[in-house]
Amino acid sequence: MSTTERSEVVGARTVGPPPVPVDLRLAAAAVAAWGVAFLATGRPDLLAWGLAGSALLLLVVLGVVRRNGRGARVALVLVAATLVLFSVVLQHGRSTAGDVEELADRRVSGEFSAVVTADPHALPTRRDGEPPRVVLDVRLTSVDARGATRGLAAPATVFAVAERWRDVRWGDRLTFRGRLGTADPGERSVVVVSAGDLVRTDRPAGFLELSETLRTGLRQAVSGRSADVRGLLPGLVVGDTSALPPDLEAAMRSVGLTHLTAVSGSNTTLVVGFLVLAASWAGFGRRSRLVVAGVGLVGFVILARPEPSVLRAAVMGGVGMAGLAAGRPTRGIPVVGAAALVLLVADPWLAREFGFVLSVLATTALVLLARPWAERLTRAGVPRVVAYAVAVPVAAQAVCGPVVALLQPAVNVVSVPANIAVAPAVGPATVLGLAATLLSPLWPAGAAVVAWPAGWCAAWIAAVARFTAQAPTSVAVPPGVAGALVVVLLTLLVLGAAAAVLRWRHGPGRRWPALAVVLVLSAALLVRCAPRWGGPAGPWPPPDWLVVGCDVGQGDAVVLRSGPTSAVLVDAGPDDVLVGGCLDRLGVDRLDAVVLTHFHADHVGGFAGALAGREVGVVHVSPLAVEPAAGRVREQAGSTPVVPLTAGDTGAAGAVTWTVLGPEPEAARVRAPDSAQVNDSSLVLLADVQGVRVLLTGDAERDEQRAVLARWPAGVVADVVKVAHHGSPTQVPQLYATARPRVALVEVGAVNDYGHPAASTLDVLAATGARVLRTDTGGDVAVAGAASALRTLERGPDPREAERRARYGSG
């Protein structure tokens, strides 16, 4: 034994190296399990080799552990990773039984039996006259197709027309007709289904029927209140957002309040805490109170639907309450690690959900930081209730902020104040709403009375959300890891400023310089972020913008700068208001040219809005004139020339020049084209904007992309590529490898039932090294500067436009 490892007994104490805290072991095991689950769920086909290697390594480590107790740390990590791998293998094998993926590749149609695992959610319609649609998760149990019936156990995502489907509920057993399609790798669903008619619905009895009765009772108890209350209170209590007004939902999203309507750990903490308190008042002992809390938690999960997010919230909410109740907050850390590990083993696909990561981080902040920060505020003279109301959201924001920045590259400056403002109303609304829910089957009138004060609490939350959403809500940061690091630095600076204030209250005057320094640094960093990366609270557009991808939902609208207030517009998106708003923000009052790559609605639907109030030089269109869309374009263009282009044509408008790489003139002779042929008639342009080459691909699919590749000018590379067909999987990787873009622009809607952009397409772009800009996550996106020093900027999604954008986001 070495000197550093030797220990000796002195009296009753052991002197030597301290044991590794169980906190760190479980935390390391949970992190390892998350990483393995994230990788394994993306490539389950490689898991057999991974399992074999892990098992072999585990045997080696266990041999080491027998000789050296320090190896227990490594063994715990490997055991966690191996359990997750086994879970992925078993669940993936069960999910893909019956060759369901092969059937999906062939897009087989048939009659399906399924069990509903998540309530339907409405999808926005793309255009007037389109029937409403819904999306829901199911577990397919069988398929009757091509004269044979196969047993399945496949998780699937179903898209269906809302009529008859909007009343489907969690737990229902369905028989319906539909057509299979493939799902993206890494998704929990192994297939998607475009559903037709419902043949039969069997509604389960027992607890599930009771839970639906209770949910309906709560909706009826608030039926006479305002639309905000009718939509928000069921969301606060049981996560039922079916009646939440879209504008209120957008406002809550913009100021960081959506966690209130998604069943989260805070919901379960409130419910269980109320039950424990009630049991304590009734004289129950400690063990009895735990039994009451456990039974109440199970009942709440059934009431709120045992979907993955709810189960995660139940586990994390219970952990959060235990951590706050503990005398030493660090005791909650091993419990959080163990809970995360159990959840990952039970459902490894949670590793790919930002919600899971944020839930774990928020719970960790709750048990580790919230109590000591609140106690520090209390010692500084802040009332205890106010101290906790401040400490809880601040701790959650501090820990979750960097991860949120990966989703939306911005620092939300009103999120914490908004959460503090609504905090006093959340508890009463949830508890009273739950009481009204439980009372509703027995005494509906009494339930309405109990729900009345809960409704006022919900109305206050809605008012705060709407008021704070009117102000500039965020400062943009760089997207990706750089943005997360900026948020970390900002958080440390702000917390340092707060600490300096608290110390100054009880310290000498020299605390003032420290406070001044951290405040100046914070302000300087925020000012530096704003002009460089734009954002709703910063300047838009950048003064030297060259190319802008407009956020028009699931559609294309790309603007090339041709002069100080003029531009070339390539496609006009699906909606006139959205494309018109983008051009207005850019200060474009003249369109030197409009290029409509093909005549699908998501590219020409907003043409009239683009023309409104602007001079237009010429309109260029695809040679394949698809009616009636082509006729509407000619009518809207009026006296403006409408000129088809084909491969080999060249042109110029202001500072923009272009060469047409496709399609061939023969495209005009196609009769009764299908959707793929229309896509492959897209105009493909290689444009030049002040020395920056831009490849514009419309919705070109593989055939046209190969033709473009054959015509590609030798030795030429593109600085910017507009990715074809919203990032669909129908890409030719060699085209992107040949173009070698520095920036790849994906025009895609945040909600679309095609799974755009496809993971395979993002992999192709990653292989080129291009910086990827996406309108679904970045809003309007811009390429600015000069060819020698390009910059990329994101305006960020605008909550005031979210409802209209989402309307055109379903594909």
Side-chain angles (χ1 to χ4, degrees), residues 728-807:
S728 79
T730 57
Q731 309 292 335
V732 175
Q734 190 179 354
L735 175 62
Y736 296 91
T738 301
R740 290 188 295 164
R742 288 189 275 170
V743 179
L745 170 60
V746 184
E747 291 266 309
V748 61
V751 180
N752 70 85
D753 55 13
Y754 296 116
H756 295 165
S760 59
T761 299
L762 296 177
D763 290 342
V764 168
L765 299 176
T768 68
R771 168 74 181 281
V772 178
L773 300 178
R774 296 169 48 172
T775 56
D776 59 337
T777 57
D780 293 346
V781 294
V783 178
S788 59
L790 289 181
R791 303 192 335 275
T792 59
L793 304 93
E794 297 179 335
R795 178 173 178 263
D798 190 331
R800 292 167 294 184
E801 301 166 4
E803 180 183 357
R804 193 169 187 94
R805 268 198 330 270
R807 181 183 178 193

Side-chain angles (χ1 to χ4, degrees), residues 581-764:
C582 180
L583 293 170
D584 288 342
R585 290 190 291 273
L586 296 174
V588 173
D589 56 22
R590 173 181 167 79
L591 293 173
D592 291 326
V594 176
V595 179
L596 302 177
T597 61
H598 62 297
F599 289 100
H600 275 162
D602 56 339
H603 292 252
V604 302
F607 183 53
L611 302 183
R614 297 178 182 87
E615 298 179 15
V616 181
V618 64
V619 178
H620 291 298
V621 296
S622 166
L624 181 57
V626 181
E627 302 296 346
R632 284 197 296 270
V633 166
R634 289 191 295 269
E635 179 183 350
Q636 292 166 350
S639 60
T640 303
V642 178
V643 181
L645 297 177
T646 57
D649 290 341
T650 60
V656 178
T657 61
W658 64 81
T659 299
V660 182
L661 302 181
E664 294 288 353
E666 289 76 14
R669 294 195 287 270
V670 176
R671 295 292 175 262
D674 60 23
S675 180
Q677 289 172 311
V678 176
N679 286 342
D680 272 338
S681 73
S682 293
L683 290 175
V684 177
L685 275 60
L686 183 60
D688 185 288
V689 185
Q690 299 181 30
V692 174
R693 290 194 183 96
V694 185
L695 176 61
L696 300 148
T697 56
D699 277 0
E701 301 199 28
R702 290 191 178 100
D703 286 345
E704 189 177 12
Q705 289 181 42
R706 293 189 186 99
V708 167
L709 185 60
R711 300 188 202 98
W712 189 263
V716 172
V717 297
D719 300 296
V720 181
V721 168
K722 200 291 297 183
V723 179
H725 201 183
H726 319 296
S728 79
T730 57
Q731 309 292 335
V732 175
Q734 190 179 354
L735 175 62
Y736 296 91
T738 301
R740 290 188 295 164
R742 288 189 275 170
V743 179
L745 170 60
V746 184
E747 291 266 309
V748 61
V751 180
N752 70 85
D753 55 13
Y754 296 116
H756 295 165
S760 59
T761 299
L762 296 177
D763 290 342
V764 168

Side-chain angles (χ1 to χ4, degrees), residues 361-362 365-366 369-371 373 390-401 416:
L361 291 176
L366 189 66
L369 301 177
R371 178 184 286 274
W373 287 3
V390 172
V392 169
V394 169
Q397 177 74 15
V399 175
C400 296
V416 170

Side-chain angles (χ1 to χ4, degrees), residues 46 69 73 77 157 188 244 460 504 561 623 639 690 698 786 804:
L46 300 180
R73 280 171 278 171
V77 170
T157 301
R188 180 180 282 104
L244 190 65
W460 167 252
W504 168 75
R561 190 171 193 172
S639 60
Q690 299 181 30
R804 193 169 187 94

Side-chain angles (χ1 to χ4, degrees), residues 405-627:
L406 297 176
L407 280 170
Q408 180 173 341
V411 177
N412 196 316
V413 298
V414 300
S415 178
V416 170
N419 275 276
I420 293 173
V422 303
V426 173
T430 303
V431 173
L432 291 173
L434 181 63
T437 303
L438 298 176
L439 190 60
S440 61
L442 305 174
W443 187 19
V449 172
V450 174
W452 190 261
W456 282 114
C457 295
W460 167 252
I461 296 171
V464 170
R466 292 186 184 280
F467 176 77
T468 53
Q470 298 303 312
T473 59
S474 62
V475 175
V477 298
V481 176
L485 293 176
V486 169
V487 172
V488 169
L489 184 55
L490 282 172
T491 301
L492 292 176
L493 289 173
V494 172
L495 292 177
V501 170
L502 293 176
R503 290 174 181 173
W504 168 75
R505 287 176 57 88
H506 302 285
R510 65 175 180 271
R511 301 296 184 187
W512 276 109
L515 175 59
V517 168
V518 294
L519 288 178
V520 168
L521 288 175
S522 301
L525 187 56
L526 287 174
V527 170
R528 175 62 178 159
C529 287
R532 175 159 184 162
W533 294 296
W540 183 267
D544 54 349
W545 70 271
L546 300 172
V547 181
V548 168
C550 297
D551 181 11
V552 291
Q554 183 77 355
D556 273 13
V558 179
V559 187
L560 311 178
R561 190 171 193 172
S562 59
T565 61
S566 62
V568 173
L569 175 65
V570 182
D571 288 323
D575 180 71
D576 53 359
V577 173
L578 294 176
V579 71
C582 180
L583 293 170
D584 288 342
R585 290 190 291 273
L586 296 174
V588 173
D589 56 22
R590 173 181 167 79
L591 293 173
D592 291 326
V594 176
V595 179
L596 302 177
T597 61
H598 62 297
F599 289 100
H600 275 162
D602 56 339
H603 292 252
V604 302
F607 183 53
L611 302 183
R614 297 178 182 87
E615 298 179 15
V616 181
V618 64
V619 178
H620 291 298
V621 296
S622 166
L624 181 57
V626 181
E627 302 296 346

